[in-house]
Amino acid sequence: MPLRSSEGLRKRKIGVMGGTFDPIHFGHLVAGEEACFSLGLTEVVFVPTGDPFHKAGRTISSAEHRYTMTMLATLDNPHFRISRVEIDRETPSHTVDTLREMRHWYPPGSVEFYFITGLDAVLDIMAWKEPLEIPELCRIVAVSRPGFNPKGLDDLPETIRENLVHLEIPLLAISSTEIRQRVSNGQSIRYLAPWLVEQYIYKNAMYFRNGW
Ligand code: ATP
Ligand code: MG
């Protein structure tokens, strides 16, 4: 399909789903899928973080493990892609830098980015690097997540609110933290994450230590 220029013509709408994905689970996947169809996105690019400075308090699985699990989880969805942009960067990952870099992958003016993020994360957006620059680079898609109240969005600065879409998605009370804890406790994680991700976790003896 030919790309059209920025003069009022159709742009590609690219979803960007950032995360630690340690491991990726159905909460992440349903967020990407809903955003894709509800907002008419061309594709959703999953971007596993490189060095997750914001989770410095705990050990994070290697970027390669997290990338491979993301690959296994997204492989069967023709709208999903993965990027190594943050993994291959030597400095800590920041959303604003990633979006700036991704802009250069496409002809100028030919794309619109939609950064997909859970309510928990977006409510914390003022702690991100250069938060007020983010709405200059993308629309922010705040997807619902159990336990987080969308009313909190009203307290965000206007620049952010004007560029934010609140998207109700099927609520899945799944977190990577819970998955790691369940593996560590010998509990089942079936139906919380894709089967291939589950097998990858066991095959690589991930999360078996106590203290996740
Ligand atoms: P952890 O427990 O390690 O923080 P997590 O489950 O929150 O893991 P992240 O990798 O931190 O997963 O999340 C990546 C993105 O996906 C964030 O924007 C987060 O808000 C969103 N997200 C994660 N789980 C869900 C879920 N169950 N429903 C909706 N959004 C989610
Ligand atoms: Mg999280």
Side-chain angles (χ1 to χ4, degrees):
M1 186 175 62
L3 279 182
R4 301 184 194 173
S5 73
S6 57
E7 284 92 48
L9 296 169
R10 226 161 76 118
K11 292 185 180 187
R12 281 171 77 177
K13 295 164 83 174
I14 313 275
V16 179
M17 176 93 203
T20 316
F21 304 135
D22 190 19
I24 191 163
H25 54 68
F26 285 125
H28 301 126
L29 296 165
V30 84
E33 180 74 358
E34 277 298 306
C36 192
F37 281 90
S38 305
L39 305 171
L41 306 181
T42 319
E43 61 193 21
V44 175
V45 185
F46 284 71
V47 185
T49 53
D51 177 14
F53 62 98
H54 60 289
K55 291 190 177 174
R58 73 168 182 88
T59 317
I60 310 285
S61 305
S62 74
E64 293 306 331
H65 272 330
R66 293 182 291 104
Y67 177 83
T68 307
M69 289 189 288
T70 307
M71 168 78 86
L72 292 174
T74 54
L75 202 58
D76 63 352
N77 188 322
H79 301 288
F80 288 174
R81 288 178 43 211
I82 321 181
S83 168
R84 295 183 62 91
V85 60
E86 293 198 1
I87 288 178
D88 290 342
R89 192 183 293 144
E90 282 169 12
T91 48
S93 312
H94 292 286
T95 300
V96 71
D97 302 324
T98 301
L99 290 166
R100 277 187 187 129
E101 184 167 338
M102 287 181 80
R103 268 195 316 185
H104 300 295
W105 297 354
Y106 304 90
S110 68
V111 291
E112 267 171 4
F113 287 111
Y114 288 74
F115 189 77
I116 306 161
T117 176
L119 259 184
D120 60 310
V122 84
L123 292 175
D124 195 36
I125 197 168
M126 293 311 289
W128 301 9
K129 183 183 169 189
E130 300 174 45
L132 299 180
E133 293 300 311
I134 294 173
E136 300 286 322
L137 299 161
C138 66
R139 302 267 288 168
I140 301 162
V141 184
V143 300
S144 45
R145 187 169 189 184
F148 294 88
N149 192 336
K151 284 208 173 82
L153 296 173
D154 298 340
D155 299 330
L156 295 176
E158 201 178 336
T159 342
I160 293 188
R161 274 187 288 120
E162 280 173 349
N163 254 296
L164 189 141
V165 190
H166 176 217
L167 184 66
E168 297 278 355
I169 63 166
L171 289 177
L172 296 182
I174 306 174
S175 71
S176 302
T177 302
E178 187 183 351
I179 293 180
R180 295 190 300 271
Q181 281 166 350
R182 292 181 72 90
V183 173
S184 165
N185 296 336
Q187 293 168 283
S188 170
I189 58 164
R190 200 153 190 191
Y191 310 124
L192 300 180
W195 184 82
L196 283 175
V197 171
E198 183 184 344
Q199 299 312 308
Y200 186 89
I201 290 170
Y202 296 139
K203 200 159 196 175
N204 291 282
M206 297 172 73
Y207 315 134
F208 67 92
R209 279 169 291 138
N210 285 324
W212 282 95

